[in-house]
Structure formats: C-alpha cells, structure tokens
Amino acid sequence: MGAAMRRIQAGNALTAFGIGFTVPFLYIYVAQVRGLGSMWATCAFIAFALGALVALPFTGRVIDRRGPVPVVIGAAVVASAGALALGLSTSVAPILVSALALGAGQAVMQPALATMIVWCSTPATRTRSFALQFFMQNLGLGIGGLLGGQIVDVDRANSFILLFSIEAVMFLVLAGIIATVRMPQVSGISDGVAKDAMPAGGGWKRLLRHKAMVQFCVLGFVLFFACYGQFESGLAAFGTEAAGISPSTLGFALAANTGAIVVAQFVVLKLVENRRRSRVIALVGLIWTVAWLIAGFSGLGHGSAVMAAAAFVTTYALFGIGEAMLSPTLAPLVADLAPEGSVGQYNSAFALVKQLALALGPLGVPVGAGLPMLYIAVFVVVSLGIVGLALRLGRQLTPAQDNPSLVTERPEPAASPATAEPVPA
C-alpha cells in the first residue's frame, strides 16, 4: 500500500469515527433534546437524504474534470459546517438547512473518495483496497458510536453540541489529510472494459446507454433497499412490533452486524477476491434470503423471548456477512465498468442509486409493523431476485470485469510531484 492509499484510508477511518458520534443519536437530538417531536425529526432525515439526492447528479462530472481531491476537500468543509450548525441549531429551519448541508457533503465525499482509491490502485489490488475501506469505516463507526453513547446525555444539550463538534472536526481532519495526498497521473482505469464496445457520448447519456452499468445500478438499488434501507426502519419496526424485540436487543443486533463485518471482512475477502463477482453477489442474495427467513421465525411467536432475540441478532449478523462480501465486489466493479475519464461519473451514479434506495427504505415501516409476515415474504422474494439479477448481470460482463484475478497486475503509475488533474481521455 502506497503513501497516498494509506492517507486516504486513514482519512476515511477518522471521518467514519466522527460520523459514528452522531448518527445513532440524531433522532433523539431533534425530537427530544430540541423538543421538536417525531415529525420534525423525520423531516431532518428527509432533508439529509434530499441534500444527497440534489448534489450527487452533478458530482461525477466535477470529479472527472477537476479531479477527486478538491471535491473531497470542498465536500468535507461543507459537511463540517453542516455538522457544527446542526449542533448549535435550536429551531426547525436551521436544523433542516444544516441537515441538508451535512447530507450533501457526506454524499459527495463517497464517490470522490472511491475515485481516489481507484486512481491509487490497480485492478489486482483494488478489491483489497475497497475491502479495507469498508472495514475501516465500520470500525470507525462502531468506536465512534460506542464513545458517543458514553458522552451523550438527553438532559444536557451541551453533550450533543460536543458530539456534533467532534464530527465537524473530523471532517476538517479529512480535508487536511486529503490535501497532502499526491495523486498519480492517470488517463483511465478501465483495464477490463472493451473500449470499442462502449457507447459514444458523454456524461449521463453515455452511462444510460451502457447496458451492463444500467443493469448493475438496478441490482445495486435492490441490494441497498433490501439491506441498508431496512436496518433502522422496516426491520426495526418488524422486530419491535411483531417479534417483541426490546430496544436494547435491537442495539445488540446492530452491534452484531458491525461485529460480523469487522471479524469476517478479511476472511471473506480471501474467499471472494479470485471468484466471479456476479456469483459472489448471487451468493449474498441466498445468504440474505436465509437471514429474512430467520427474522420471520423470530416474529412467529412459537419460541421463547430468548429464541426470538437470538434469531433477530442472527439476522443482522448474516446481513453483515453479506455486506463484507459486497464491499470488495461492488465498488471495484463500478470502476471496471467505467470508460476512460468517467470513473467519477460512474461512482456518483452508483452513490445516487444507493441514496435513492436508502430514502425509499422507510416505506417498509408500515408493512413491517402492521403486516409482519407479508413484510418477510416480500423481502424473501426480493433477496431471491438479487440472485437472478446477479446471474443476469454476469452475462453482460467481460471475463476480466467479472473475475478481476484474470487481469495481469501492472506496476502502479508513478506519482506526480503535486496533486494532478486527470488527463483527458
């Protein structure tokens, strides 16, 4: 791992550490500490998602034209200002504007950091680099959430100001670290793409005409909606309403998810990095099918409360194993699908798909709470659909795109003496 990659991964981990201080407590902060109630707390989450959805469609072209470094720095500054303002806000309008800025900043950072990792890696090292990024993110979020839980006090608003201030500082630390990164001079990264097969045009038009990428985005939406989109919404509602899971057990389940990722990430990496990506994603669909069936068992009421709790925690752990399998698979595949000079556009498009899935995830709440077995049945079918979509995608990929081990590793490009702009394709 070169110096540039080490700094990118360190900045990514520290940012996740800062985010971990606030994410678990945002609802409590708005609804209870500021006394605005559940409706405005929900609106804060909507504003957070809206900021991401507004910013991401324009992010990719800026990354490809200006390079990812200034985009990360700018997004980190915006996110820092949003986090600090959110901690100091006491009324509805400032909270919503702050959440909008925070959501936009965090969302823009994702594809820009992913592009930096792509530029600083080769096809043979990219899988491991993204696995490390996901590992560091979850470790940072877990530690930040744990420490934040020791600081926070619902009766002291200043404790929440401290949490948001820590998050704001971590964003500025990321900006400082990224400013020191020397990016390599690159003209393109799509070693596995058949260039003559790529459609003509640029930007969104070219992406939408790229059949494999469109199919991959559809698959990504289903993946994110069926997993991340349900964690703190529909599945949580199902657990508390149908399975009788206590809030403390729900906390253990979330911890089991993070723990499974941290423990299994590099074990799983050895199993998937030399295998066909489409088959790995299909296997994740099968694992999540089992997870949803186990969740359904927890809500049947045939066993003890302990069995229901154990089944629910197991569900979250299985989701974590699936996530660990996806982290070295999805992001590198985006990079390998992207034509020269468009990796930022493709990363932004995939990040937008993820945000859409997360924004629509809460639609599962009324079904999970009111029609629990229908909820489980729907997501069992959705998980099986992931299997079919993944296998279908595999037929659209080149052998090198589907199995990165087929790409012969080449020496990493020499770093330029200063942060470089991408060379036009």
Side-chain angles (χ1 to χ4, degrees):
M1 185 189 302
M5 184 66 78
R6 286 197 297 271
R7 293 180 185 185
I8 294 168
Q9 298 287 14
N12 175 72
L14 290 171
T15 303
F17 173 73
I19 293 172
F21 271 88
T22 62
V23 167
F25 313 110
L26 182 57
Y27 182 90
I28 295 173
Y29 170 72
V30 177
Q32 299 182 21
V33 177
R34 296 307 184 190
L36 299 178
S38 60
M39 184 188 74
W40 288 116
T42 302
C43 288
F45 281 105
I46 293 173
F48 188 88
L50 185 61
L53 295 177
V54 169
L56 281 172
F58 308 99
T59 300
R61 182 165 293 186
V62 177
I63 293 173
D64 290 328
R65 290 184 174 181
R66 302 296 181 184
V69 170
V71 175
V72 174
I73 294 173
V77 171
V78 171
S80 178
L84 184 59
L86 191 57
L88 297 174
S89 299
T90 58
S91 59
V92 170
I95 284 176
L96 294 182
V97 173
S98 301
L100 191 76
L102 181 58
Q106 284 193 35
V108 169
M109 277 188 283
Q110 294 176 21
L113 285 170
T115 303
M116 292 185 72
I117 291 175
V118 170
W119 284 18
C120 293
S121 63
T122 66
T125 63
R126 200 164 291 144
T127 296
R128 189 165 291 270
S129 296
F130 278 104
L132 178 61
Q133 182 201 32
F134 192 66
F135 172 83
M136 298 297 286
Q137 278 181 340
N138 280 276
L139 188 62
L141 286 170
I143 295 174
L146 181 63
L147 294 178
Q150 308 308 309
I151 296 173
V152 71
D153 185 346
V154 177
D155 297 322
R156 290 191 307 113
N158 285 342
S159 67
F160 284 85
I161 295 176
L162 177 60
L163 295 186
F164 285 105
S165 298
I166 292 172
E167 182 181 28
V169 169
M170 289 299 102
F171 285 130
L172 294 180
V173 169
L174 171 67
I177 291 174
I178 295 303
T180 68
V181 174
R182 289 184 173 184
M183 294 295 293
Q185 285 275 11
V186 293
S187 60
I189 50 82
S190 298
D191 301 275
V193 177
K195 299 296 187 297
D196 57 353
M198 291 304 304
W204 286 99
K205 181 178 179 180
R206 176 166 60 175
L207 188 151
L208 293 173
R209 293 174 61 191
H210 188 174
K211 187 175 181 180
M213 184 60 186
V214 171
Q215 288 190 13
F216 186 48
C217 286
V218 172
L219 173 59
F221 178 87
V222 177
L223 283 166
F224 295 130
F225 182 75
C227 178
Y228 301 97
Q230 303 307 311
F231 272 1
E232 297 177 4
S233 58
L235 188 55
F238 168 85
T240 54
E241 297 293 334
I245 301 300
S246 66
S248 61
T249 301
L250 182 59
F252 278 116
L254 291 168
N257 175 262
T258 301
I261 293 169
V262 171
V263 171
Q265 182 65 83
F266 292 102
V267 175
V268 167
L269 177 62
K270 292 181 179 180
L271 298 176
V272 306
E273 62 181 343
N274 293 323
R275 287 171 171 78
R276 294 178 61 179
R277 287 165 169 164
S278 58
R279 301 291 177 85
V280 171
I281 300 172
L283 180 57
V284 170
L286 291 176
I287 292 173
W288 286 357
T289 300
V290 174
W292 282 108
L293 291 172
I294 293 175
F297 171 79
S298 71
L300 291 176
H302 297 325
S304 66
V306 174
M307 289 179 62
F312 200 71
V313 170
T314 300
T315 296
Y316 274 75
L318 287 174
F319 274 119
I321 293 173
E323 292 173 74
M325 295 171 66
L326 291 176
S327 64
T329 304
L330 299 183
L333 182 51
V334 174
D336 289 344
L337 284 169
E340 291 184 358
S342 295
V343 65
Q345 181 80 60
Y346 275 54
N347 276 324
S348 296
F350 202 68
L352 180 60
V353 166
K354 180 177 180 179
Q355 290 296 329
L356 285 170
L358 294 180
L360 295 176
L363 293 176
V365 171
V367 183
L371 300 167
M373 290 303 108
L374 175 61
Y375 176 74
I376 295 297
V378 167
F379 280 97
V380 166
V381 173
V382 168
S383 297
L384 291 174
I386 290 171
V387 178
L389 289 172
L391 296 177
R392 183 182 179 187
L393 174 66
R395 294 193 289 270
Q396 294 290 328
L397 303 177
T398 66
Q401 288 170 343
D402 203 17
N403 190 344
S405 65
L406 299 177
V407 179
T408 303
E409 183 173 0
R410 297 181 297 191
E412 293 196 28
S416 62
T419 300
E421 302 252 330
V423 179

